[in-house]
Amino acid sequence: MSKIIAIANQKGGVGKTTSAINLAASLAALDYKTLLVDADSQSNATSGIGVDPVSAGRGLYDCMINGEKVSELVIKTDIDNLYLLPSNIDLVGAELELQNLDNREQRMKAALLEVKDDYDFILIDCSPSLGVITTNALTAADSVIIPIQCEYFALEGLGKLLNTVKIIQMRLNTELQVEGMLLTMYDLRIRLANQVVEEVKSHFPQMVFETIIPRNIKLSESPSFGMPVLAYDADSKGAVSYLNLAKEIIQKNGLSIPKIK
């Protein structure tokens, strides 16, 4: 089995890139060959995994705009089983350039098709927008994970995102599914956080992951060291939570969970 999962929410600051990096690392730690695709011009997934976006050179932009092969631009990270298709500032211009290209919503899908069977999982870290790059990611994906922060206005904009998913299901990708909604930045001590959890679960039963990602200092620190939290502090609550999320996704897809090496 090979599965492409987009991680998307047009709201910023919901833990999207953090989730992409750490879920990818956790799947890799569980012996599943994983490709992390950085589809955000800010390149935070690239730098957060320990790769300098400038020195990385070519990346997703070159695959989508210039037709270069993904297999030739993928970078092996310091984590076993974890690979990266980097992003850089060039991706900013892709939104405009794609407007003039044929099959503009299908460019990422076409690029990833070349390598899809080479990986067990491909995770796409989307930008905080519903522009053409995110549309490309959702068109290429088999499913989407929607991070939702356990804070005020948590559901703001969620309807718009779900409507976008429905439009893409109708027009561009009939196979697209919602893998699940992921509650992030949870603080047990705050009553509002608990209220948000209950509200999201009541609005979207059966769609919310059992795993909830807590606020965790190690999780916040690890990107500045260019590593996922599992490599930075494997015993931290953040690392354990993303490992549990990876196991939940593996089981949901009918796969087996090996022991961590």
Side-chain angles (χ1 to χ4, degrees), residues 133-149:
I133 301 292
T134 298
T135 298
N136 262 266
L138 294 174
T139 302
D142 299 302
S143 65
V144 56
I145 291 174
I146 303 171
I148 302 170
Q149 81 278 36

Side-chain angles (χ1 to χ4, degrees), residues 10 16 87 89 102 112 129 135 207 222 224 254:
Q10 78 273 22
K16 185 168 40 59
S87 161
I89 196 66
D102 294 333
L112 293 178
S129 75
T135 298
M207 293 180 69
S222 59
S224 64

Side-chain angles (χ1 to χ4, degrees), residues 102-116:
D102 294 333
N103 300 316
R104 63 186 180 191
E105 296 94 352
Q106 306 276 352
R107 307 285 289 195
M108 192 183 301
K109 181 177 182 177
L112 293 178
L113 192 60
E114 178 221 348
V115 298
K116 184 174 182 181

Side-chain angles (χ1 to χ4, degrees), residues 185-191 193-194 214-215 237:
M185 304 180 187
Y186 174 67
D187 190 334
L188 178 66
R189 301 165 298 175
I190 299 176
R191 186 171 63 178
N194 292 291
R215 283 197 175 276
K237 288 183 179 179

Side-chain angles (χ1 to χ4, degrees), residues 49-51 75-83 225-228 231:
I49 211 76
V51 176
I75 296 170
K76 174 76 174 72
T77 74
D78 293 334
I79 310 294
D80 286 344
N81 293 316
L82 182 57
Y83 298 79
F225 291 90
M227 60 178 69

Side-chain angles (χ1 to χ4, degrees), residues 29-65:
L30 291 167
D31 218 20
Y32 284 93
K33 190 177 179 182
T34 303
L35 173 64
L36 175 60
V37 177
D38 191 345
D40 186 349
S41 61
Q42 297 178 81
S43 308
N44 289 335
T46 299
S47 59
I49 211 76
V51 176
D52 176 30
V54 176
S55 61
R58 296 171 299 164
L60 180 61
Y61 169 89
D62 301 276
C63 300
M64 293 180 66
I65 303 299

Side-chain angles (χ1 to χ4, degrees), residues 1 5 23 26-32 121 179 209 243-258:
M1 187 208 85
I5 303 175
L23 176 56
S26 296
L27 288 167
L30 291 167
D31 218 20
Y32 284 93
F121 288 97
E179 188 79 20
F209 286 112
L243 203 55
N244 287 338
L245 175 63
K247 291 176 181 177
E248 194 174 339
I249 290 171
I250 288 167
Q251 289 179 321
K252 183 176 181 179
N253 286 280
L255 302 171
S256 61
I257 300 173

